[in-house]
């Protein structure tokens, strides 16, 4: 059986920040009212990340004065499926992109069609 890698919370947060830095500026410029946080454990099993909020495509004139959307990246589940830090880097990148796509209104079916 393969070993599971341990990544400190601090290092994992760095990996999430690095993944965010790879998002093209033309996308980050239009991201609006969203926060990305690292959480150790998901609210339900098998989640690597979770977007909670109102996607940009669904916001209208009524959208004002609301709390930020939230993207959570789950440290323990990601580490549990990885054997090396390089694996963690790749999985964090995929998960960050996946959850940001939800902020832009792209659903799981479309993400799978696009290869994510």
């Amino acid at each position: 059986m393969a070993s599971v890698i341990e990544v400190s919370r601090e290092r994992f947060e760095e990996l999430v920040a690095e993944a965010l830095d790879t998002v093209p500026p033309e996308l980050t410029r239009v991201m609006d009212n969203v926060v990305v946080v690292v959480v150790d454990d998901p609210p339900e099993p098998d989640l690597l990340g979770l977007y909670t909020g109102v996607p940009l495509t669904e916001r209208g004139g009524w959208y004002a004065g609301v709390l930020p959307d939230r993207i959570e990246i789950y440290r323990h589940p990601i580490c549990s499926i990885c054997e090396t830090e390089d694996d963690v880097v790749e999985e964090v990148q995929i998960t960050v992109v996946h959850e940001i796509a939800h902020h832009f209104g792209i659903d799981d079916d479309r993400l799978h069609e696009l290869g994510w």
Side-chain angles (χ1 to χ4, degrees):
M1 180 168 175
S3 62
V4 173
I5 188 167
E6 282 294 320
V7 177
S8 72
R9 184 176 180 93
E10 179 180 56
R11 177 66 181 136
F12 194 86
E13 288 174 352
E14 289 172 1
L15 296 177
V16 170
E18 290 168 8
L20 287 167
D21 287 344
T22 68
V23 176
E26 56 271 16
L27 293 180
T28 57
R29 275 194 295 274
V30 295
M31 289 176 65
D32 182 45
N33 200 32
V34 61
V35 62
V36 179
V37 296
V38 169
V39 176
D40 286 337
D41 296 302
E44 57 187 73
D46 302 322
L47 285 179
L48 303 181
L50 181 66
Y51 168 77
T52 306
V54 179
L56 294 175
T57 54
E58 295 178 18
R59 296 179 184 179
W62 59 268
Y63 186 85
V66 298
L67 291 173
D69 290 4
R70 184 174 173 97
I71 291 174
E72 295 180 347
I73 307 298
Y74 300 116
R75 183 170 68 101
H76 290 150
I78 288 176
C79 290
S80 75
I81 64 169
C82 296
E83 295 181 29
T84 67
E85 186 165 313
D86 286 344
D87 293 342
V88 176
V89 169
E90 181 178 355
E91 198 57 54
V92 165
Q93 178 71 41
I94 290 167
T95 304
V96 166
V97 168
H98 185 100
E99 300 310 326
I100 287 173
H102 290 320
H103 176 68
F104 283 99
I106 301 171
D107 66 16
D108 283 332
D109 290 339
R110 182 66 180 135
L111 279 167
H112 292 294
E113 288 173 15
L114 296 170
W116 289 96

